[in-house]
Each structure stands twice: as structure tokens, then as C-alpha cells.
Amino acid sequence: MDITEVRIKLVEHTAERLLAFCSITIDGAFVVRDLKIIGGPSGPFVAMPSRKLSIHCHACGFKNPLRAGYCNQCGKKQAEQPPPRDDDGRVRLYADIAHPINASCRELIQSRVVREYEAEIVRARQPGYMSRYDAIGDEERR
Ligand SMILES: [Zn+2]
């Protein structure tokens, strides 16, 4: 697998550890968007695109956040459900949409994206710099 393109959108003045959004193109043919670059204790790392897990209201079918006490649509009290957990027993509120299934692939993506992130920081200092990451449609999903 070859990552043929990485597009970065640097995030400035963030209270969280979010450094940038990015998209990757695989083998010049398939694009995955909405990866995040997060500042960690041992340097930036890449988080895969994920979605908030949700649960349907038993009364009206509305999709509510996983641990909502009451339906956001009809207001009915929601049944207590055991939250889904990952292999380590931690509660999962998010699920990856796309992700590597082995360490070598994760490392490939990680090193390529972080290298491009560091190059983007240098590019961003140039006059007339514009990010090539297409942010259209991101607002409504946050
Ligand atoms: Zn409802």
C-alpha cells in the first residue's frame, strides 16, 4: 500500500491537543478524510476518522448520543444499557470509521502523515500559503 498524497489543515489556537486535520490518498485511487493529528507526550500521532456512537430511541427512533438519559426528540426516558467496551474493558463512545488492521500499516500512515505535517508547518510560513485540505462539509459534522 502506498500513500500517494497527504493533505493537511493546520489548526491554530486550539485548547485541545488537536494540531491538524488531514486526508490521505491510497494508491492514487482512494481518499480517506478527517484523520486528526494530535499532540502527544512523545510527539504528534495520528487518530483515525471516527464517529460518535449513538443509540435509537425506543419510542420515536431518534438517534441520541450513547449515554443520553432522555431522548433529544421526544423527551422519553431512555433505557439503561451497558455501554460498549473495547478489548481492554474501556467504555467506547467513538468508533473508528476507517483504520489500519496491523502495526506496520499504522506505522506507515503515522510516519507519512507526521512527515507531511512537519513540512506543512514550514509551508505555512510562506506568503500566500493555502491549505490544500478541502474542509467543505466539515462544519455540519461537528
Ligand atoms: Zn424519542
Side-chain angles (χ1 to χ4, degrees):
M1 184 184 98
D2 213 17
I3 297 172
T4 47
E5 188 171 18
V6 178
R7 294 187 178 201
I8 308 265
K9 168 82 177 155
L10 298 172
V11 175
E12 287 175 60
H13 310 302
T14 172
E16 300 165 50
R17 296 175 303 139
L18 177 65
L19 304 174
F21 293 101
C22 82
S23 67
I24 57 174
T25 304
I26 296 164
D27 292 337
F30 193 85
V31 179
V32 181
R33 294 167 42 90
D34 221 12
L35 284 76
K36 294 186 182 77
I37 303 170
I38 311 282
S42 51
F45 68 90
V46 177
M48 293 298 131
S50 62
R51 64 184 174 83
K52 238 187 176 130
L53 292 172
S54 60
I55 194 160
H56 290 274
C57 171
H58 59 90
C60 74
F62 189 77
K63 260 168 88 176
N64 290 300
L66 200 60
R67 295 204 284 194
Y70 296 86
C71 176
N72 286 330
Q73 172 94 342
C74 72
K76 286 239 167 67
K77 185 156 173 45
Q78 300 297 288
E80 289 273 339
Q81 304 229 7
R85 292 177 186 274
D86 65 19
D87 295 341
D88 299 323
R90 286 176 302 213
V91 173
R92 293 176 61 219
L93 296 177
Y94 294 86
D96 285 349
I97 293 169
H99 60 92
I101 57 171
N102 57 48
S104 66
C105 180
R106 179 171 295 275
E107 180 53 35
L108 175 80
I109 295 172
Q110 166 86 15
S111 60
R112 180 81 163 81
V113 166
V114 169
R115 199 165 69 228
E116 202 61 37
Y117 166 70
E118 282 159 359
E120 190 80 4
I121 291 174
V122 175
R123 280 197 289 272
R125 297 195 192 112
Q126 308 300 314
Y129 162 79
M130 277 178 67
S131 167
R132 294 180 310 127
Y133 182 84
D134 172 18
I136 290 169
D138 279 357
E139 296 310 314
E140 62 205 69
R141 286 190 288 123
R142 299 238 142 70

